[in-house]
Amino acid sequence: NRNSLTKYYLPLQMGYASMDQSGAGMISRQYCRAFIFADPNNSTQRVVFVTAEIGMISQRVRLAVSGKIKYGDLYGPDNVVLSGTHTHSGPGGYFQYTIYMISSRGFIKPSFNAIVNGILESIATAHENMVKGRVFINKGLVENTQINRSPLSYLNNPESERLRYTSNTDKEMVLLKMVADNGQEIGMLSWFAIHPVSMNNTNLHTSSDNIGYAAYLFEEEKNKGYLTGKGPYVAGFASSNLGDVSPNIQGPHCINTGDSCENLNNYCPIGGTKMCIAKGPGKDMLESTQIIGRNIYLKAKELYSTAFEEINGPIHSAHQWVDMSNITVQLNATHTGKTCKPALGYSFAAGTMDGPGMFNFTQGMIEGNSFWDAVRDAVLTRPSKETEECHKPKPILIPTGELSKPYPWHPNIIDIQIITVGSLAILALPGEFSYVLSFFIYLYICKEFESHGKTEMNVVLSGLCNIYTHYIATYEEYQIQRYEGASTLFGPHTLSAYIQLYRGLAKAIAEGTARDLPNLPEPPILNVTDLTFLPIIRDAKPLDRNYGDVLQDVQPKYRMVGTLLLLYKTFVTNFTFLTVEKYDNTSNHWKVMYNDASWDTRFTWQKDIWGRSTSIVQWHISNNTEPGTYRIQYFGHSKELLRPIRSFSGSSLQFEVSG
C-alpha cells in the first residue's frame, strides 16, 4: 500500500541542518509504501518492509509505530522494518533526541503524527488487501548516476581491498517483482545506493527528490488513468549503502571561480568550504533530480521486465536492542576493541560537498581548535578523557553521549534487524554505510549463512532503518576524519561491532534460535510532548479581498509546453492544495487531471510581515497533455486571530490548451 505523508510545511527541512531551509511549498508529495510478505502455509510467519520518503526513521517514530500497530501480536519490532529514503527536502521535527531537535526547531507534533499515522495506515491497508502471489528477484548496474563524494577516504582503504571493486561506488540495484497468482502485477521494491540530494539546501519545497521521481515515473506507467499516488500498483525505491555516494556527478567546484575543489578539505582558496558545492548533471537542481531519477527508473524498468528468478522458502526475522556505546569487539585472535559513547567530530560541522556546513569548518580535521574547544566547554561540556581516547583520532566537537539536557542528545540503545524471505535476506542498517564497509558486512553475512548450509542467499543492505545513527565508515576511512568519519558516532571500531552483531543475527536465523537472542529492554519514549520553536501563525487579508481571491489569473489560451501562474491569499490544508481540471463535454462535469502530487504542478506559500499569505500555483504543461478546456482550483484554510480555522477555495477562469 501507498499513503501520503505530506501534511505540514513550517518545520526546517530534515537533512541539511540549514537554519534557512524552512518549508514553504510543494514540488511532490511524500509517500510511504508498505510491503507485507507472508508464508501461505503459516500466516503468522510474515515480515513487513516500509519505505518512507522522509529524511530517515527516528527512534520515536519506530517506537510509536510499534506501539500502535493493529492485529494483536502479528506485527511488532521483531518483524517490521521501517526505512527512510533519505530525501533532504521533507519536514523535520519528528525526533526525540536533542541533536536532531536542534536541527529542525524542536519536536513538531503535526509532522510526527502525519508520519506515524501515514505509516500505520499504509501497513493496515496492505494487511487488509493481501493476495497470494509470487516474488522474483533481479540485479543490475546503474551507470552515470553517482560519484563517490569522499574519494580520499575511500583511497585510504587497503589497496588489496580496493582491488576487489571495479568502481569506488556501489552501482548495483536489487529489485523484487511481485505478481499475483492470477497474473496481475502488484508492485516492485528496489534498493540502490544514491543520496537524494539533487535538490540542494536552497530548496524550500517538499520533494521526494531523485528516488521519489523514479517511483513517480514507475507508478505513473503502471497506474495509467489514475491520479498520482492513487493507483493500485505500488513501486517502492528504498535506500541502501549510500554513505559516500552523491548524485551530483559534476563533482565539487568552487561556485565563485569554477575551479575544482576535490581536495581533502573540500576547500576553496577564496571563500573556503562554503563555496565548494557539487552539482549536476542538469542545468538546475530540479532538472538534475529528474535526470538522476529517470536513470534509476529506466534501470528498474529493465530489471523488472527481465526478473525471472523466483524467491521461495520460509520467512524469518531476528531483532535485538543493543547498547552500541558498550560493545566489545574481537578484532583478531589476540586483540579486542570497544565502541564508544556517541560523539561528533569537528568535520561533522563542515558538512559535505552536497551541503556545506557553518563557520568554515573543514573536512579532514584531526586536531581540534582552541577557540571552538572553549566554546564547547562553556556552552555544552568538555568530553571526558575516556571518550577522547576512545574516539581518536577524531577531535570531538560535540560529546553527545555525555549530554542529557534538556533530553539525551543521542541514543545509546539502538535496534539491529535481519528479515528473510526465502533466499532473500534484508539487513536493516541503522544509518549511512560507506561502500567498502557495506561490502565487508555483505561478505561476512553471506559466509555466515553459508556456514550453516544456507548457500546462495541474496543479501540486501537496506539503509536508514528503524533509527538514525548518522554515518558508519571503515576503520581506515575513520582515520581521515572527513565528514563520514567525523559522523561515525560510536568510534573507530563501529564497523567491527556491526559485523559481529549482524553475524549473530544471521546465525540465529540459520539455526532457528532468533527468539533466544539476548536483548536489552526497549528504550523509552521520552516525555517530549511538543517542544517547538516555530513562530505562531496567524492570517490576515486586505479589507477589499477575500481568502481565495485570484490576484493574477490565467491567459485565455495556452499551447502545450508552458507555465500557468496563479496567486491566492491562503493558509495550509491537510488535503490536496490544488487540482488541474479538464471539462468533459460528454458528462458535462469537470474531471481532475492533476493534483499537488504531480511533478507537473508546483505550490509555493509566501507570508509577509503583516501576516498575509500568498500562494503561487503553477502547472507546467507537458507535451502529452490532452487538448481542451481547463481550470485550476486551489483549496486552503485561513487562521485569523480569535477566529476558528476556516476552509475556502479559489478558482481560475477557464482556459484552452491546444496542441
Side-chain angles (χ1 to χ4, degrees), residues 370-386:
S370 58
F371 172 77
W372 288 114
D373 281 351
V375 171
R376 175 202 63 201
D377 297 349
V379 176
L380 302 173
T381 189
R382 181 173 182 172
S384 66
K385 290 293 184 183
E386 177 187 3

Side-chain angles (χ1 to χ4, degrees), residues 581-591 631 654:
E581 302 173 1
K582 180 177 180 290
Y583 190 74
D584 188 329
N585 293 312
T586 303
S587 64
N588 295 323
H589 286 91
W590 290 95
K591 179 183 178 182
R631 71 179 182 187
Q654 299 178 23

Side-chain angles (χ1 to χ4, degrees), residues 505-517:
L505 295 183
K507 179 181 179 182
I509 288 176
E511 295 180 342
T513 59
R515 292 189 176 184
D516 301 326
L517 286 167

